Amino acid sequence: NAGVTQTPKFQVLKTGQSMTLQCAQDMNHEYMSWYRQDPGMGLRLIHYSVGAGITDQGEVPNGYNVSRSTTEDFPLRLLSAAPSQTSVYFCASSPHREHLNTGELFFGEGSRLTVL
Amino acid sequence: QQQVKQSPQSLIVQKGGISIINCAYENTAFDYFPWYQQFPGKGPALLIAIRPDVSEKKEGRFTISFNKSAKQFSLHIMDSQPGDSATYFCAAPRPRGYSTLTFGKGTMLLVSP
């Protein structure tokens, strides 16, 4: 069982470039989300989705775009990369809204992005 | 907007000692409060969670204490081991109308041999 799979694990971009971080889960989870992790800032929510075709903004959505065309996939797009977007990005999922009842989100292993 | 304040930012404990990490939240319409553990290079993973209709939950060496009136909860690691060295995050659900968890800023725990 693969769980939550993120690709790529590492990426270096130049300022202004665009790219997509991929996230796929094989657990048939309805809820998926993207967090960024920065030293001293903890985990901050970028965007989330409660099901296919439904997305919403989190705490720090600016500069990022998401879509949810299937239950399995939730890609995160950086439209024009900036050095401030250098971070480690985590995708997380849960069955429907179970994370609110159990406190459990299932995280991927992260994608480390450096923007020069 | 949910605010979750976690302390301390870092903690060094000797092997066999007790590690204590604290968390305070502002408000919530849902009642489930988790702690996550993250090892270097890995994603966070649920360690233990509590509903505030109980004041304490224990799983092995890990205990959550919950004080609903003070809006605080804490993680206690008894007999701390070097393998417990990791970053710990508390989390709380955002208020009604949202479907997300808000995380604290994390505590880096180092258990010295």
Side-chain angles (χ1 to χ4, degrees):
Chain A
N1 192 344
V4 179
T5 302
Q6 292 184 233
T7 56
K9 293 189 184 303
F10 301 94
Q11 183 71 48
V12 178
L13 290 178
K14 294 181 179 179
T15 297
Q17 287 184 317
S18 62
M19 76 156 300
T20 300
L21 299 177
Q22 301 291 345
C23 176
Q25 51 88 12
D26 61 359
M27 299 175 283
N28 201 31
H29 286 175
E30 294 185 14
Y31 177 88
M32 297 186 74
S33 57
W34 277 101
Y35 286 86
R36 60 176 290 174
Q37 183 176 18
D38 303 290
M41 299 298 292
L43 293 158
R44 293 182 293 170
L45 182 66
I46 305 171
H47 286 286
Y48 66 98
S49 169
V50 297
I54 305 170
T55 64
D56 207 345
Q57 296 182 348
E59 304 167 63
V60 288
N62 293 340
Y64 307 96
N65 202 358
V66 292
S67 60
R68 185 91 181 272
S69 56
T70 68
T71 299
E72 295 78 19
D73 300 300
F74 191 44
L76 178 71
R77 296 182 183 86
L78 280 70
L79 308 174
S80 177
S84 60
Q85 294 178 303
T86 294
S87 187
V88 181
Y89 292 85
F90 288 98
C91 180
S93 71
S94 83
H96 192 45
R97 290 156 56 93
E98 278 303 301
H99 57 288
L100 299 177
N101 297 325
T102 65
E104 185 166 26
L105 284 172
F106 296 84
F107 281 83
E109 295 211 330
S111 295
R112 182 176 295 274
L113 175 67
T114 301
V115 182
L116 303 176
Chain B
Q1 183 78 9
Q2 175 73 281
Q3 294 288 335
V4 179
K5 296 183 179 179
Q6 183 175 344
S7 63
Q9 186 173 358
S10 62
L11 183 61
I12 300 175
V13 174
Q14 285 194 330
K15 180 180 176 181
I18 302 174
S19 304
I20 302 175
I21 305 171
N22 300 299
C23 200
Y25 65 97
E26 289 188 341
N27 57 72
T28 181
F30 300 93
D31 294 324
Y32 222 108
F33 297 87
W35 284 93
Y36 281 76
Q37 181 186 54
Q38 183 184 30
F39 294 106
K42 300 295 185 182
L46 180 68
L47 178 65
I48 186 172
I50 192 171
R51 294 183 64 93
D53 53 355
V54 296
S55 59
E56 186 175 281
K57 180 176 181 179
K58 183 176 182 180
E59 291 185 358
R61 296 184 293 107
F62 300 91
T63 299
I64 299 180
S65 297
F66 196 92
N67 185 333
K68 188 173 183 178
S69 61
K71 296 185 178 179
Q72 295 177 346
F73 57 112
S74 61
L75 175 68
H76 296 237
I77 306 175
M78 312 300 287
D79 187 26
S80 298
Q81 299 297 312
D84 297 330
S85 298
T87 299
Y88 293 82
F89 295 95
C90 62
R94 291 182 75 186
R96 189 175 298 280
Y98 298 90
S99 302
T100 65
L101 292 177
T102 298
F103 285 84
K105 293 186 177 182
T107 297
M108 292 184 62
L109 171 65
L110 176 63
V111 180
S112 59

Short mmCIF file of all heavy atoms in Angstrom, two decimals, chain A residues 31 35 37-45 48 50 56-59 90 97 99-110 112, chain B residues 1-2 9 30-34 36 38 41-46 49 51 87 89 93-94 97-106:
data_model
loop_
_atom_site.label_atom_id
_atom_site.label_comp_id
_atom_site.label_asym_id
_atom_site.label_seq_id
_atom_site.Cartn_x
_atom_site.Cartn_y
_atom_site.Cartn_z
N TYR A 31 -10.59 13.75 1.34
CA TYR A 31 -9.95 15.00 1.76
C TYR A 31 -8.47 14.95 1.43
O TYR A 31 -7.78 13.98 1.76
CB TYR A 31 -10.13 15.19 3.26
CG TYR A 31 -9.45 16.43 3.81
CD1 TYR A 31 -10.10 17.66 3.83
CD2 TYR A 31 -8.14 16.38 4.29
CE1 TYR A 31 -9.47 18.80 4.32
CE2 TYR A 31 -7.51 17.51 4.76
CZ TYR A 31 -8.18 18.72 4.78
OH TYR A 31 -7.55 19.84 5.26
N TYR A 35 0.45 21.42 2.66
CA TYR A 35 1.06 22.24 3.69
C TYR A 35 2.48 22.58 3.25
O TYR A 35 3.11 21.81 2.53
CB TYR A 35 1.14 21.50 5.03
CG TYR A 35 -0.17 21.34 5.76
CD1 TYR A 35 -1.02 20.27 5.49
CD2 TYR A 35 -0.55 22.25 6.75
CE1 TYR A 35 -2.22 20.13 6.17
CE2 TYR A 35 -1.75 22.10 7.44
CZ TYR A 35 -2.57 21.03 7.15
OH TYR A 35 -3.75 20.88 7.83
N GLN A 37 6.23 23.63 5.09
CA GLN A 37 6.92 23.61 6.37
C GLN A 37 8.19 24.44 6.26
O GLN A 37 9.06 24.16 5.43
CB GLN A 37 7.27 22.19 6.80
CG GLN A 37 7.94 22.12 8.17
CD GLN A 37 8.19 20.70 8.64
OE1 GLN A 37 8.17 19.75 7.87
NE2 GLN A 37 8.41 20.55 9.94
N ASP A 38 8.29 25.44 7.11
CA ASP A 38 9.45 26.33 7.15
C ASP A 38 9.97 26.37 8.57
O ASP A 38 9.18 26.30 9.53
CB ASP A 38 9.06 27.73 6.68
CG ASP A 38 8.46 27.73 5.29
OD1 ASP A 38 9.22 27.48 4.34
OD2 ASP A 38 7.23 27.94 5.15
N PRO A 39 11.28 26.52 8.74
CA PRO A 39 11.86 26.56 10.09
C PRO A 39 11.20 27.62 10.97
O PRO A 39 11.08 28.77 10.57
CB PRO A 39 13.33 26.89 9.81
CG PRO A 39 13.57 26.40 8.43
CD PRO A 39 12.29 26.63 7.69
N GLY A 40 10.77 27.21 12.15
CA GLY A 40 10.16 28.14 13.09
C GLY A 40 8.74 28.53 12.77
O GLY A 40 8.11 29.28 13.53
N MET A 41 8.21 28.04 11.66
CA MET A 41 6.85 28.41 11.25
C MET A 41 5.88 27.25 11.31
O MET A 41 4.67 27.42 11.13
CB MET A 41 6.86 28.98 9.82
CG MET A 41 7.71 30.22 9.66
SD MET A 41 7.10 31.58 10.67
CE MET A 41 5.57 31.94 9.84
N GLY A 42 6.39 26.07 11.54
CA GLY A 42 5.50 24.91 11.61
C GLY A 42 4.94 24.52 10.26
O GLY A 42 5.56 24.75 9.21
N LEU A 43 3.76 23.96 10.27
CA LEU A 43 3.07 23.53 9.06
C LEU A 43 1.95 24.52 8.77
O LEU A 43 1.06 24.71 9.59
CB LEU A 43 2.48 22.12 9.25
CG LEU A 43 3.50 21.01 9.40
CD1 LEU A 43 2.88 19.81 10.10
CD2 LEU A 43 4.03 20.60 8.03
N ARG A 44 1.99 25.11 7.61
CA ARG A 44 0.95 26.07 7.24
C ARG A 44 0.18 25.57 6.03
O ARG A 44 0.76 25.14 5.03
CB ARG A 44 1.57 27.44 6.95
CG ARG A 44 2.17 28.11 8.19
CD ARG A 44 2.75 29.48 7.85
NE ARG A 44 3.92 29.38 6.99
CZ ARG A 44 4.50 30.42 6.40
NH1 ARG A 44 4.00 31.63 6.54
NH2 ARG A 44 5.58 30.22 5.64
N LEU A 45 -1.13 25.65 6.12
CA LEU A 45 -2.01 25.12 5.09
C LEU A 45 -2.05 26.04 3.88
O LEU A 45 -2.30 27.25 4.00
CB LEU A 45 -3.42 24.95 5.67
CG LEU A 45 -4.47 24.36 4.75
CD1 LEU A 45 -4.13 22.91 4.40
CD2 LEU A 45 -5.83 24.43 5.42
N TYR A 48 -6.73 23.14 0.21
CA TYR A 48 -7.27 21.84 0.54
C TYR A 48 -8.48 21.54 -0.35
O TYR A 48 -9.02 22.42 -1.01
CB TYR A 48 -7.63 21.73 2.03
CG TYR A 48 -8.76 22.62 2.49
CD1 TYR A 48 -10.05 22.12 2.60
CD2 TYR A 48 -8.53 23.94 2.85
CE1 TYR A 48 -11.09 22.93 3.04
CE2 TYR A 48 -9.55 24.76 3.28
CZ TYR A 48 -10.83 24.25 3.39
OH TYR A 48 -11.86 25.05 3.83
N VAL A 50 -12.09 18.89 -0.37
CA VAL A 50 -12.93 17.91 0.34
C VAL A 50 -13.52 16.87 -0.62
O VAL A 50 -14.29 16.01 -0.20
CB VAL A 50 -14.04 18.60 1.14
CG1 VAL A 50 -13.44 19.48 2.23
CG2 VAL A 50 -14.96 19.41 0.25
N ASP A 56 -10.39 24.71 -1.86
CA ASP A 56 -10.54 25.92 -1.07
C ASP A 56 -9.17 26.36 -0.58
O ASP A 56 -8.22 25.58 -0.55
CB ASP A 56 -11.48 25.72 0.11
CG ASP A 56 -12.17 27.01 0.53
OD1 ASP A 56 -11.72 28.10 0.11
OD2 ASP A 56 -13.14 26.93 1.30
N GLN A 57 -9.09 27.65 -0.22
CA GLN A 57 -7.82 28.22 0.20
C GLN A 57 -7.57 27.96 1.68
O GLN A 57 -8.49 27.92 2.49
CB GLN A 57 -7.83 29.73 -0.06
CG GLN A 57 -7.92 30.10 -1.53
CD GLN A 57 -7.87 31.61 -1.72
OE1 GLN A 57 -8.00 32.37 -0.78
NE2 GLN A 57 -7.70 32.03 -2.97
N GLY A 58 -6.29 27.83 2.00
CA GLY A 58 -5.88 27.73 3.38
C GLY A 58 -5.32 29.05 3.88
O GLY A 58 -5.79 30.13 3.49
N GLU A 59 -4.29 28.97 4.72
CA GLU A 59 -3.71 30.16 5.34
C GLU A 59 -2.81 30.95 4.40
O GLU A 59 -2.74 32.18 4.48
CB GLU A 59 -2.88 29.75 6.56
CG GLU A 59 -3.61 28.94 7.61
CD GLU A 59 -2.63 28.33 8.58
OE1 GLU A 59 -1.93 29.08 9.28
OE2 GLU A 59 -2.54 27.08 8.63
N PHE A 90 4.31 19.40 1.94
CA PHE A 90 3.72 18.12 2.31
C PHE A 90 2.28 18.06 1.82
O PHE A 90 1.51 19.00 1.99
CB PHE A 90 3.74 17.92 3.83
CG PHE A 90 5.10 17.63 4.38
CD1 PHE A 90 5.85 18.64 4.95
CD2 PHE A 90 5.62 16.35 4.32
CE1 PHE A 90 7.12 18.39 5.45
CE2 PHE A 90 6.88 16.08 4.82
CZ PHE A 90 7.63 17.11 5.38
N ARG A 97 -14.03 13.62 6.20
CA ARG A 97 -13.62 14.60 7.22
C ARG A 97 -13.19 13.89 8.50
O ARG A 97 -13.26 14.46 9.59
CB ARG A 97 -14.79 15.54 7.51
CG ARG A 97 -15.08 16.48 6.36
CD ARG A 97 -16.52 16.95 6.41
NE ARG A 97 -16.88 17.58 7.67
CZ ARG A 97 -16.82 18.89 7.89
NH1 ARG A 97 -16.38 19.70 6.97
NH2 ARG A 97 -17.18 19.41 9.06
N HIS A 99 -10.41 13.29 9.72
CA HIS A 99 -9.33 13.91 10.48
C HIS A 99 -9.88 14.83 11.55
O HIS A 99 -9.22 15.10 12.56
CB HIS A 99 -8.39 14.69 9.55
CG HIS A 99 -9.07 15.74 8.73
ND1 HIS A 99 -9.91 15.44 7.67
CD2 HIS A 99 -9.06 17.09 8.83
CE1 HIS A 99 -10.35 16.56 7.15
NE2 HIS A 99 -9.87 17.57 7.82
N LEU A 100 -11.11 15.32 11.36
CA LEU A 100 -11.72 16.18 12.38
C LEU A 100 -12.28 15.35 13.52
O LEU A 100 -12.46 15.85 14.63
CB LEU A 100 -12.81 17.03 11.76
CG LEU A 100 -12.34 17.97 10.64
CD1 LEU A 100 -13.52 18.71 10.05
CD2 LEU A 100 -11.30 18.96 11.17
N ASN A 101 -12.56 14.08 13.24
CA ASN A 101 -13.09 13.19 14.27
C ASN A 101 -12.00 12.39 14.96
O ASN A 101 -12.16 11.97 16.10
CB ASN A 101 -14.11 12.23 13.67
CG ASN A 101 -15.31 12.96 13.12
OD1 ASN A 101 -15.73 13.96 13.68
ND2 ASN A 101 -15.85 12.47 12.02
N THR A 102 -10.90 12.16 14.26
CA THR A 102 -9.83 11.33 14.81
C THR A 102 -8.54 12.11 14.99
O THR A 102 -7.64 11.65 15.67
CB THR A 102 -9.52 10.15 13.87
OG1 THR A 102 -8.99 10.67 12.64
CG2 THR A 102 -10.77 9.33 13.61
N GLY A 103 -8.43 13.27 14.38
CA GLY A 103 -7.18 14.03 14.42
C GLY A 103 -6.12 13.51 13.48
O GLY A 103 -5.00 14.00 13.48
N GLU A 104 -6.45 12.51 12.64
CA GLU A 104 -5.41 11.88 11.83
C GLU A 104 -5.45 12.31 10.38
O GLU A 104 -6.43 12.11 9.67
CB GLU A 104 -5.51 10.36 11.90
CG GLU A 104 -4.35 9.66 11.15
CD GLU A 104 -4.23 8.21 11.47
OE1 GLU A 104 -5.25 7.59 11.86
OE2 GLU A 104 -3.11 7.68 11.36
N LEU A 105 -4.34 12.88 9.94
CA LEU A 105 -4.03 13.10 8.54
C LEU A 105 -2.89 12.18 8.15
O LEU A 105 -1.98 11.94 8.95
CB LEU A 105 -3.60 14.55 8.29
CG LEU A 105 -4.68 15.64 8.28
CD1 LEU A 105 -4.02 17.01 8.22
CD2 LEU A 105 -5.61 15.45 7.11
N PHE A 106 -2.94 11.69 6.90
CA PHE A 106 -1.88 10.83 6.39
C PHE A 106 -1.00 11.67 5.48
O PHE A 106 -1.46 12.18 4.46
CB PHE A 106 -2.47 9.65 5.62
CG PHE A 106 -3.29 8.73 6.48
CD1 PHE A 106 -4.62 9.01 6.76
CD2 PHE A 106 -2.72 7.58 7.01
CE1 PHE A 106 -5.38 8.17 7.57
CE2 PHE A 106 -3.47 6.73 7.82
CZ PHE A 106 -4.80 7.03 8.10
N PHE A 107 0.26 11.82 5.86
CA PHE A 107 1.18 12.69 5.14
C PHE A 107 2.07 11.91 4.18
O PHE A 107 2.45 10.75 4.46
CB PHE A 107 2.09 13.44 6.12
CG PHE A 107 1.45 14.62 6.79
CD1 PHE A 107 0.65 14.45 7.90
CD2 PHE A 107 1.64 15.90 6.29
CE1 PHE A 107 0.05 15.53 8.53
CE2 PHE A 107 1.04 16.99 6.90
CZ PHE A 107 0.25 16.82 8.03
N GLY A 108 2.43 12.57 3.07
CA GLY A 108 3.49 12.07 2.23
C GLY A 108 4.84 12.39 2.83
O GLY A 108 4.92 12.99 3.91
N GLU A 109 5.91 12.03 2.13
CA GLU A 109 7.25 12.23 2.68
C GLU A 109 7.84 13.59 2.32
O GLU A 109 8.95 13.91 2.74
CB GLU A 109 8.18 11.11 2.23
CG GLU A 109 7.76 9.75 2.79
CD GLU A 109 8.93 8.83 3.02
OE1 GLU A 109 9.93 8.94 2.28
OE2 GLU A 109 8.83 7.99 3.93
N GLY A 110 7.12 14.38 1.56
CA GLY A 110 7.55 15.74 1.32
C GLY A 110 8.28 15.96 0.01
O GLY A 110 8.87 15.03 -0.55
N ARG A 112 11.06 18.80 -1.35
CA ARG A 112 11.90 19.94 -0.95
C ARG A 112 12.17 20.80 -2.18
O ARG A 112 12.77 20.34 -3.15
CB ARG A 112 13.20 19.45 -0.34
CG ARG A 112 14.11 20.57 0.15
CD ARG A 112 15.36 20.02 0.84
NE ARG A 112 15.02 19.31 2.07
CZ ARG A 112 14.87 19.91 3.25
NH1 ARG A 112 15.03 21.21 3.37
NH2 ARG A 112 14.59 19.18 4.32
N GLN B 1 -10.24 32.52 12.65
CA GLN B 1 -8.92 31.92 12.42
C GLN B 1 -8.46 31.23 13.71
O GLN B 1 -8.51 31.84 14.77
CB GLN B 1 -7.92 33.01 12.00
CG GLN B 1 -6.53 32.49 11.68
CD GLN B 1 -6.44 31.85 10.33
OE1 GLN B 1 -7.38 31.93 9.55
NE2 GLN B 1 -5.34 31.19 10.03
N GLN B 2 -8.04 30.02 13.59
CA GLN B 2 -7.57 29.28 14.75
C GLN B 2 -6.10 29.57 14.98
O GLN B 2 -5.30 29.50 14.07
CB GLN B 2 -7.76 27.78 14.50
CG GLN B 2 -7.20 26.86 15.57
CD GLN B 2 -8.01 26.88 16.85
OE1 GLN B 2 -7.89 27.79 17.64
NE2 GLN B 2 -8.83 25.87 17.05
N GLN B 9 10.01 25.83 21.94
CA GLN B 9 10.42 25.67 20.54
C GLN B 9 11.40 24.51 20.42
O GLN B 9 11.41 23.81 19.41
CB GLN B 9 11.04 26.97 20.05
CG GLN B 9 11.38 26.96 18.56
CD GLN B 9 11.85 28.32 18.08
OE1 GLN B 9 11.89 29.28 18.84
NE2 GLN B 9 12.21 28.41 16.82
N PHE B 30 -14.97 21.60 17.03
CA PHE B 30 -14.79 20.15 17.04
C PHE B 30 -13.86 19.80 18.19
O PHE B 30 -13.02 20.58 18.58
CB PHE B 30 -14.19 19.68 15.71
CG PHE B 30 -15.05 20.01 14.54
CD1 PHE B 30 -14.86 21.17 13.84
CD2 PHE B 30 -16.07 19.16 14.16
CE1 PHE B 30 -15.64 21.48 12.76
CE2 PHE B 30 -16.86 19.46 13.07
CZ PHE B 30 -16.65 20.63 12.37
N ASP B 31 -13.99 18.64 18.68
CA ASP B 31 -13.26 18.30 19.89
C ASP B 31 -12.36 17.10 19.68
O ASP B 31 -12.65 16.01 20.13
CB ASP B 31 -14.24 18.02 21.04
CG ASP B 31 -15.00 19.27 21.44
OD1 ASP B 31 -14.39 20.36 21.40
OD2 ASP B 31 -16.18 19.16 21.77
N TYR B 32 -11.27 17.32 18.97
CA TYR B 32 -10.28 16.25 18.87
C TYR B 32 -8.94 16.90 18.65
O TYR B 32 -8.78 17.69 17.73
CB TYR B 32 -10.60 15.28 17.73
CG TYR B 32 -10.36 13.86 18.14
CD1 TYR B 32 -11.42 12.99 18.36
CD2 TYR B 32 -9.08 13.40 18.35
CE1 TYR B 32 -11.20 11.70 18.77
CE2 TYR B 32 -8.84 12.11 18.77
CZ TYR B 32 -9.91 11.25 18.98
OH TYR B 32 -9.70 9.98 19.40
N PHE B 33 -8.01 16.60 19.49
CA PHE B 33 -6.73 17.29 19.49
C PHE B 33 -5.59 16.29 19.39
O PHE B 33 -5.37 15.49 20.29
CB PHE B 33 -6.59 18.13 20.76
CG PHE B 33 -7.64 19.21 20.83
CD1 PHE B 33 -8.88 18.94 21.38
CD2 PHE B 33 -7.38 20.46 20.32
CE1 PHE B 33 -9.85 19.93 21.43
CE2 PHE B 33 -8.35 21.45 20.36
CZ PHE B 33 -9.59 21.19 20.92
N PRO B 34 -4.86 16.32 18.25
CA PRO B 34 -3.79 15.36 18.03
C PRO B 34 -2.39 15.92 18.27
O PRO B 34 -2.17 17.13 18.23
CB PRO B 34 -3.95 15.04 16.54
CG PRO B 34 -4.44 16.33 15.95
CD PRO B 34 -5.23 17.03 17.02
N TYR B 36 1.46 15.14 16.58
CA TYR B 36 2.17 14.48 15.49
C TYR B 36 3.65 14.43 15.81
O TYR B 36 4.20 15.31 16.46
CB TYR B 36 1.95 15.23 14.18
CG TYR B 36 0.63 14.95 13.52
CD1 TYR B 36 -0.56 15.52 14.01
CD2 TYR B 36 0.54 14.10 12.42
CE1 TYR B 36 -1.76 15.24 13.41
CE2 TYR B 36 -0.67 13.83 11.82
CZ TYR B 36 -1.81 14.40 12.33
OH TYR B 36 -3.02 14.12 11.74
N GLN B 38 7.47 13.89 13.90
CA GLN B 38 8.14 13.94 12.61
C GLN B 38 9.63 13.69 12.76
O GLN B 38 10.31 14.43 13.48
CB GLN B 38 7.91 15.30 11.93
CG GLN B 38 8.54 15.39 10.54
CD GLN B 38 8.39 16.78 9.93
OE1 GLN B 38 8.36 17.78 10.63
NE2 GLN B 38 8.31 16.84 8.61
N GLY B 41 13.53 14.23 7.44
CA GLY B 41 13.36 13.69 6.10
C GLY B 41 12.07 12.94 5.89
O GLY B 41 11.85 12.36 4.82
N LYS B 42 11.21 12.93 6.87
CA LYS B 42 9.93 12.20 6.78
C LYS B 42 8.76 13.15 6.97
O LYS B 42 8.90 14.27 7.45
CB LYS B 42 9.87 11.10 7.85
CG LYS B 42 10.97 10.07 7.74
CD LYS B 42 10.86 9.26 6.47
CE LYS B 42 11.89 8.15 6.42
NZ LYS B 42 11.79 7.38 5.13
N GLY B 43 7.57 12.68 6.60
CA GLY B 43 6.38 13.45 6.87
C GLY B 43 5.90 13.23 8.29
O GLY B 43 6.23 12.23 8.92
N PRO B 44 5.13 14.17 8.83
CA PRO B 44 4.57 13.98 10.18
C PRO B 44 3.64 12.77 10.20
O PRO B 44 3.01 12.43 9.20
CB PRO B 44 3.78 15.27 10.41
CG PRO B 44 4.33 16.26 9.43
CD PRO B 44 4.74 15.46 8.24
N ALA B 45 3.55 12.14 11.36
CA ALA B 45 2.66 11.00 11.55
C ALA B 45 1.96 11.15 12.88
O ALA B 45 2.57 11.60 13.87
CB ALA B 45 3.43 9.69 11.49
N LEU B 46 0.69 10.77 12.91
CA LEU B 46 -0.08 10.88 14.15
C LEU B 46 0.55 10.03 15.24
O LEU B 46 0.83 8.85 15.05
CB LEU B 46 -1.52 10.43 13.91
CG LEU B 46 -2.43 10.49 15.14
CD1 LEU B 46 -2.66 11.94 15.56
CD2 LEU B 46 -3.76 9.80 14.86
N ALA B 49 -3.90 11.16 20.06
CA ALA B 49 -4.90 12.22 20.00
C ALA B 49 -5.89 12.03 21.15
O ALA B 49 -6.05 10.93 21.67
CB ALA B 49 -5.64 12.21 18.66
N ARG B 51 -9.84 13.35 22.89
CA ARG B 51 -11.07 14.11 22.93
C ARG B 51 -11.15 14.77 24.30
O ARG B 51 -10.80 14.15 25.30
CB ARG B 51 -12.28 13.18 22.73
CG ARG B 51 -12.35 12.54 21.38
CD ARG B 51 -13.62 11.72 21.25
NE ARG B 51 -14.81 12.56 21.34
CZ ARG B 51 -15.44 13.09 20.29
NH1 ARG B 51 -14.96 12.86 19.08
NH2 ARG B 51 -16.51 13.83 20.45
N THR B 87 10.71 16.08 15.86
CA THR B 87 9.93 17.31 16.01
C THR B 87 8.48 16.92 16.28
O THR B 87 7.94 16.03 15.61
CB THR B 87 10.01 18.18 14.74
OG1 THR B 87 11.37 18.56 14.53
CG2 THR B 87 9.18 19.44 14.91
N PHE B 89 4.46 18.18 16.80
CA PHE B 89 3.48 19.22 16.49
C PHE B 89 2.16 18.91 17.19
O PHE B 89 1.69 17.77 17.13
CB PHE B 89 3.20 19.28 14.99
CG PHE B 89 4.36 19.70 14.14
CD1 PHE B 89 5.17 18.75 13.54
CD2 PHE B 89 4.63 21.04 13.92
CE1 PHE B 89 6.23 19.13 12.74
CE2 PHE B 89 5.69 21.44 13.12
CZ PHE B 89 6.49 20.48 12.53
N PRO B 93 -8.53 21.50 15.34
CA PRO B 93 -9.40 21.77 14.20
C PRO B 93 -9.74 23.25 14.12
O PRO B 93 -9.87 23.92 15.15
CB PRO B 93 -10.64 20.94 14.49
CG PRO B 93 -10.26 20.00 15.58
CD PRO B 93 -9.20 20.69 16.36
N ARG B 94 -9.90 23.74 12.92
CA ARG B 94 -10.34 25.12 12.77
C ARG B 94 -11.82 25.20 13.14
O ARG B 94 -12.52 24.19 13.17
CB ARG B 94 -10.12 25.58 11.33
CG ARG B 94 -8.64 25.74 11.00
CD ARG B 94 -8.42 26.24 9.59
NE ARG B 94 -8.74 27.67 9.48
CZ ARG B 94 -8.74 28.33 8.34
NH1 ARG B 94 -8.48 27.71 7.21
NH2 ARG B 94 -9.03 29.61 8.31
N GLY B 97 -17.22 25.24 10.03
CA GLY B 97 -17.29 25.80 8.69
C GLY B 97 -16.05 25.47 7.87
O GLY B 97 -16.05 25.64 6.67
N TYR B 98 -15.00 24.98 8.53
CA TYR B 98 -13.79 24.59 7.84
C TYR B 98 -13.55 23.11 8.03
O TYR B 98 -14.17 22.46 8.85
CB TYR B 98 -12.60 25.40 8.38
CG TYR B 98 -12.72 26.87 8.15
CD1 TYR B 98 -13.32 27.69 9.09
CD2 TYR B 98 -12.25 27.44 6.98
CE1 TYR B 98 -13.45 29.05 8.87
CE2 TYR B 98 -12.36 28.80 6.76
CZ TYR B 98 -12.96 29.60 7.69
OH TYR B 98 -13.07 30.93 7.47
N SER B 99 -12.66 22.59 7.23
CA SER B 99 -12.40 21.14 7.29
C SER B 99 -10.94 20.87 7.48
O SER B 99 -10.40 19.91 6.96
CB SER B 99 -12.88 20.47 6.01
OG SER B 99 -14.24 20.70 5.78
N THR B 100 -10.26 21.73 8.22
CA THR B 100 -8.81 21.63 8.26
C THR B 100 -8.28 21.58 9.68
O THR B 100 -8.98 21.91 10.64
CB THR B 100 -8.17 22.82 7.55
OG1 THR B 100 -8.48 24.01 8.29
CG2 THR B 100 -8.69 22.97 6.14
N LEU B 101 -7.04 21.17 9.79
CA LEU B 101 -6.32 21.21 11.05
C LEU B 101 -5.31 22.35 11.00
O LEU B 101 -4.64 22.56 9.99
CB LEU B 101 -5.56 19.91 11.30
CG LEU B 101 -6.38 18.65 11.58
CD1 LEU B 101 -5.46 17.45 11.72
CD2 LEU B 101 -7.21 18.83 12.83
N THR B 102 -5.20 23.09 12.10
CA THR B 102 -4.17 24.11 12.27
C THR B 102 -3.11 23.56 13.19
O THR B 102 -3.41 23.05 14.27
CB THR B 102 -4.76 25.39 12.86
OG1 THR B 102 -5.75 25.91 11.97
CG2 THR B 102 -3.67 26.44 13.04
N PHE B 103 -1.85 23.67 12.76
CA PHE B 103 -0.75 23.09 13.51
C PHE B 103 0.01 24.15 14.30
O PHE B 103 0.09 25.31 13.89
CB PHE B 103 0.24 22.39 12.57
CG PHE B 103 -0.26 21.08 12.04
CD1 PHE B 103 -1.10 21.05 10.94
CD2 PHE B 103 0.09 19.89 12.64
CE1 PHE B 103 -1.58 19.84 10.44
CE2 PHE B 103 -0.37 18.67 12.15
CZ PHE B 103 -1.22 18.66 11.06
N GLY B 104 0.56 23.74 15.44
CA GLY B 104 1.52 24.58 16.15
C GLY B 104 2.82 24.66 15.38
O GLY B 104 3.00 23.97 14.37
N LYS B 105 3.75 25.47 15.88
CA LYS B 105 5.00 25.70 15.16
C LYS B 105 6.03 24.60 15.39
O LYS B 105 7.09 24.61 14.76
CB LYS B 105 5.57 27.07 15.51
CG LYS B 105 4.70 28.20 15.00
CD LYS B 105 5.34 29.56 15.23
CE LYS B 105 4.45 30.65 14.64
NZ LYS B 105 5.04 32.00 14.79
N GLY B 106 5.74 23.69 16.27
CA GLY B 106 6.61 22.54 16.44
C GLY B 106 7.61 22.69 17.58
O GLY B 106 8.00 23.81 17.94
#
